[in-house]
Amino acid sequence: MRIAQLAPLAESVPPKLYGGTERVIAWLVDGLVELGHDVTLFASGDSKTKGSLHAVWPRALRLGQRGVDPNAACALLIEAIAARASDFDVIHSHVDWLSLPVLSRTGVPYLTTMHGRLDLPGLAEVIGAFPNAASVSISDNQRRPLPDANWIATIQHGLPKDLFRPSYERGSYLAFLGRLTADKGPEEAMRIARAAGMPLRIAAKIPRAETAYFKKKLEPNIDGEEVQLVGEVNEVRKQPFLAGAAALLFPINWPEPFGLVMIEAMACGTPVIAYRSGSVPEVIEDGVTGFIVDNEEQAIRAVNDLGRLDRRAVRARFEDRFTSSRMAQDYEARYRELVARAKDPS
């Protein structure tokens, strides 16, 4: 099939540092190419792909020229796919609702993967305007706020099987990887690690909007020894960071749509201690790939119970459930259904 993939422009595909959505898109495109499809990626010009790259903006917006109006870049993205829609058998959008007004009028089968939270004001009105727009969720929990959307599948993320080397040693510290925002739980992670008597290593970006939160709530507790901030990590540094941890702490306080870092940790053989929120019960198998807990007290006990888990079993469950080849095959099946339906609407 000839497949178009529309990527957000905030980060390159794959991203240089932080950027879960763009990383997943990169793995999906590569997986589809390996399945024999002709894939065109509409993304920033600094992206790298096994498919064909249609660059709609020179550099990713976050690390590019300051002051650029993101709406201008997005307008060019939508214009690019509008001009080339007839070149494809199916169009796959990863830019949420932005592309629907154009894609719904091209006559080409399309679907949208929703990568973010959906419990926001105004989204129900969008569903009402585009009731037939095919949507894919990345967890069943993610779609709960919008039950009337045209959900055609839940397809969980996957990453290349050999991207991360697993470690089957116990690990000497607890890890936190993600944005330093209150809903990701960095304060809780610090308290859990201290109470459990283990060092905490934090690999994370500090969003500009969260600088005050970092200065007030987090920085005073980062001593450089028991709690260390190592900054953002790329793919090369992420593997040893996660593989060397006794566990990944994931004490989230929001409806996480998926939580890519959980399967990245599992790929390294590292179990996950996560709060029971959002997609967590769909990703973590309690007592096998980690522990699902409801509060700090349970999380502390879980740290002490890590010896019960088999890191080889953690890696095995990753290989069974969360590879990018499985993800690409799942999407391929949905594409074929949409194309067949377009040819025979009855």
Side-chain angles (χ1 to χ4, degrees), residues 185-253:
E187 295 174 77
E188 289 83 352
M190 291 178 183
R191 292 195 294 265
I192 292 165
R194 282 204 176 93
M198 290 194 68
L200 178 68
R201 304 292 180 261
I202 301 173
K205 65 180 287 189
I206 305 171
R208 293 173 186 167
E210 301 294 336
T211 301
Y213 168 73
F214 173 78
K215 292 287 186 182
K216 182 178 180 180
K217 298 290 187 180
L218 303 181
E219 192 172 44
N221 297 303
I222 299 174
D223 59 13
E225 295 182 6
E226 291 306 305
V227 179
Q228 292 184 14
L229 176 63
V230 302
E232 286 191 73
V233 292
N234 59 19
E235 290 298 297
V236 174
R237 294 177 60 206
K238 186 182 294 184
Q239 188 277 331
F241 174 77
L242 289 172
L248 172 76
L249 295 183
F250 199 66
I252 57 171
N253 184 30

Side-chain angles (χ1 to χ4, degrees), residues 10-295:
E11 308 287 348
S12 62
V13 178
K16 304 296 187 294
L17 294 169
Y18 185 84
T21 296
E22 293 81 7
R23 190 163 280 112
V24 169
I25 295 169
W27 295 330
L28 173 60
V29 172
D30 289 353
L32 291 169
V33 170
E34 289 169 4
L35 288 172
H37 298 292
D38 180 1
V39 186
T40 300
L41 172 65
F42 291 74
S44 62
D46 50 347
S47 299
K48 299 182 184 303
T49 178
K50 291 182 179 179
S52 301
L53 176 63
H54 183 126
V56 298
W57 197 260
R59 289 196 64 202
L61 298 176
R62 184 168 78 92
L63 299 178
Q65 181 182 357
R66 287 184 177 271
V68 169
D69 182 355
N71 291 326
C74 290
L76 291 181
L77 173 67
I78 302 306
E79 172 58 22
I81 191 59
R84 293 195 57 193
S86 60
D87 293 342
F88 304 103
D89 299 309
V90 65
I91 300 170
H92 187 170
S93 172
H94 301 271
V95 295
D96 296 332
W97 319 99
L98 185 63
S99 58
L100 292 184
V102 167
L103 296 186
S104 64
R105 291 168 169 81
T106 62
V108 177
Y110 69 95
L111 73 160
T112 301
T113 295
M114 300 301 172
H115 290 272
R117 65 188 301 171
L118 302 179
D119 58 338
L120 303 175
L123 298 191
E125 286 76 8
V126 176
I127 286 297
F130 301 96
N132 297 318
S135 298
V136 171
S137 55
I138 55 179
S139 67
D140 289 339
N141 183 272
Q142 181 197 28
R143 59 167 76 176
R144 289 179 63 185
L146 297 175
D148 296 329
N150 181 25
W151 299 111
I152 62 169
T154 289
I155 299 179
Q156 295 178 322
H157 291 333
L159 57 90
K161 179 179 177 181
D162 297 325
L163 181 66
F164 293 140
R165 299 184 312 278
S167 170
Y168 302 126
E169 302 297 323
R170 174 174 167 81
S172 58
Y173 55 87
L174 297 173
F176 179 93
L177 176 61
R179 296 192 316 273
L180 291 182
T181 57
D183 56 13
K184 291 286 189 178
E187 295 174 77
E188 289 83 352
M190 291 178 183
R191 292 195 294 265
I192 292 165
R194 282 204 176 93
M198 290 194 68
L200 178 68
R201 304 292 180 261
I202 301 173
K205 65 180 287 189
I206 305 171
R208 293 173 186 167
E210 301 294 336
T211 301
Y213 168 73
F214 173 78
K215 292 287 186 182
K216 182 178 180 180
K217 298 290 187 180
L218 303 181
E219 192 172 44
N221 297 303
I222 299 174
D223 59 13
E225 295 182 6
E226 291 306 305
V227 179
Q228 292 184 14
L229 176 63
V230 302
E232 286 191 73
V233 292
N234 59 19
E235 290 298 297
V236 174
R237 294 177 60 206
K238 186 182 294 184
Q239 188 277 331
F241 174 77
L242 289 172
L248 172 76
L249 295 183
F250 199 66
I252 57 171
N253 184 30
W254 75 298
E256 176 73 63
F258 183 78
L260 184 63
V261 66
M262 290 191 286
I263 67 171
E264 291 176 326
M266 290 166 56
C268 295
T270 301
V272 181
I273 299 173
Y275 279 15
R276 192 188 312 274
S277 185
S279 65
V280 165
E282 299 175 51
V283 177
I284 300 303
E285 295 170 78
D286 189 55
V288 179
T289 57
F291 295 110
I292 301 174
V293 300
D294 295 305
N295 51 50

